[in-house]
Amino acid sequence: MLRIAILDDYQDVALTLADWALLGDDCEIVRFGRNLASEDEAAGALAGFDVLCLMRERMPLSAALIERLPALRLIVVTGARVRTIDMEAAVARGITVCHTHAGESAHATPEIAWGLILSLARSIPEEHARIRAGGWQHTVGTVLGGKTLGLVGLGKLGGRMVPIAKAFGMEVIAWSQNLTDARAAEAGARRVDKETLFREADVVSLHLILGERSRHTVSAAELGQMKQGAWLINTARGPLVDEAALVEGLRQGRIKAGLDVFDIEPLPADHPLRTMPNTVLTPHLGYVTEGAYAAFYRDTVDNIRAWRDGAPVRVLAAPKTEERT
């Protein structure tokens, strides 16, 4: 019997969005609807499973945790980019790691960024809650037309922000460490230096890949350069921003923030960001769409079938004896 664990299925949709019966009657499939927050909890719950199906980076697999999972032989992670699995430890244990296609993230993540921007502009969550409670309008909104959008990162996702900003009548400026004038112009933006971007932008939106070079790209210094009342939007990765400095900036009331990602996810119940009135918070919804999930889970089933047949596909890491296709 092959034991398969589907992790972090928060919405209880994994078993309905793919045909898991294709794996055969000799598989036991168990879904986990909650996050296994600690190594001890994860080791206790997952020790008997042969296959772990991960949803993006929700469940880190460190070398220490992998060592405590003696039955584990295959890891399938949704999306092609993952930094939370110790690949060397997995290979050393004879474990294969496969990925799925990226799904709809190229469209979905910029769309949630604009959802956060519009929510801040017109206080939509606050007014929704007020009308549900029997009240009526209380806030005064602002328009985006004539404002400046500053994009930190102008790659695939950042580039999709530009035409939408132009449709709203916004000017677009951009910065990243490797951005050139030619690439910025091609995308419809104007390249500026980092200080200029944070000083001039009314809305700063982050679209960088997280790595050691990009960690804390937004520190207390950058937050201090932002205009009074400017907005910071983060739909990329939490650690791109110095979270303690952000909390302090929000406490001072200088800026607002629309955040879909955090240093620790799920966000702890007692985290100060949960009580900040000048924020709009969403629980890492950027890639969470029905189309993306259906593609993720279909590929997951396909990956398990191919691995069982001895010809794994979309391989990120594998023992040398494992054939890659």
Side-chain angles (χ1 to χ4, degrees):
M1 180 67 69
L2 188 73
R3 300 195 70 214
I4 301 169
I6 303 172
L7 301 183
D8 296 303
D9 181 19
Y10 299 156
Q11 296 89 357
D12 191 12
V13 295
L15 296 178
T16 64
L17 291 178
D19 187 359
W20 296 85
L22 292 172
L23 297 177
D25 296 333
D26 60 341
C27 294
E28 178 190 4
I29 302 171
V30 179
R31 59 163 294 274
F32 290 82
R34 71 184 192 284
N35 183 256
L36 303 174
S38 70
E39 182 185 312
D40 286 343
E41 184 182 10
L46 304 175
F49 286 94
D50 305 280
V51 180
L52 299 185
C53 305
L54 310 185
M55 176 54 72
R56 300 295 285 263
E57 297 176 332
R58 292 176 184 173
M59 178 77 220
L61 287 178
S62 64
L65 178 54
I66 289 171
E67 188 61 32
R68 298 175 68 179
L69 303 176
L72 185 57
R73 292 185 285 153
L74 174 66
I75 300 166
V76 181
V77 60
T78 58
R81 184 177 289 127
V82 59
R83 290 174 174 78
T84 52
I85 300 174
D86 191 316
M87 299 294 183
E88 290 185 5
V91 170
R93 280 276 318 282
I95 299 166
T96 300
V97 183
C98 298
H99 69 90
T100 72
H101 291 104
E104 300 176 333
S105 296
H107 294 280
T109 302
E111 288 175 8
I112 199 72
W114 282 104
L116 292 170
I117 292 170
L118 290 169
S119 293
L120 285 169
R122 304 304 296 268
S123 302
I124 293 172
E126 180 182 344
E127 294 292 14
H128 171 81
R130 181 171 289 108
I131 203 166
R132 289 284 196 186
W136 199 238
Q137 59 176 273
H138 180 73
T139 61
V140 177
T142 186
V143 300
L144 299 178
K147 301 293 195 300
T148 298
L149 173 66
L151 296 172
V152 179
L154 196 60
K156 181 171 61 175
L157 303 187
R160 289 188 180 274
M161 298 288 290
V162 179
I164 303 171
K166 299 281 188 177
F168 280 117
M170 301 183 78
E171 179 186 356
V172 184
I173 58 178
W175 170 86
S176 71
Q177 291 182 333
N178 298 320
L179 183 63
T180 65
D181 288 335
R183 164 57 191 160
E186 178 187 8
R190 174 170 59 90
R191 187 183 72 85
V192 296
D193 61 37
K194 187 180 183 183
E195 182 177 346
T196 299
L197 184 141
F198 281 89
R199 188 178 64 247
E200 293 187 0
D202 300 287
V203 182
V204 175
S205 188
L206 308 184
H207 302 277
L208 295 177
I209 296 170
L210 177 63
E212 286 311 308
R213 191 172 68 162
S214 62
R215 186 177 298 273
H216 287 189
T217 291
V218 183
S219 67
E222 286 75 28
L223 294 169
Q225 291 164 357
M226 292 176 69
K227 293 180 180 180
Q228 176 74 30
W231 312 336
L232 179 71
I233 308 298
N234 190 3
T235 57
R237 288 294 183 271
L240 293 173
V241 181
D242 182 334
E243 196 170 82
L246 175 60
V247 168
E248 181 57 31
L250 292 167
R251 279 186 175 139
Q252 294 173 4
R254 290 191 57 259
I255 59 174
K256 295 182 179 181
L259 307 174
D260 188 48
V261 290
F262 308 91
D263 280 8
I264 300 173
E265 296 180 2
L267 189 67
D270 60 350
H271 197 286
L273 283 173
R274 288 185 180 265
T275 60
M276 294 286 173
N278 46 349
T279 61
V280 175
L281 311 178
T282 49
H284 205 151
L285 297 180
Y287 61 89
V288 181
T289 66
E290 185 174 350
Y293 270 36
F296 287 161
Y297 288 123
R298 284 196 301 266
D299 277 1
T300 296
V301 171
D302 183 50
N303 284 351
I304 298 171
R305 294 179 73 193
W307 170 76
R308 295 191 83 185
D309 289 340
V313 295
R314 295 182 289 271
V315 177
L316 288 171
K320 289 184 179 180
T321 55
E322 193 89 329
E323 181 183 354
R324 301 187 183 200
T325 63

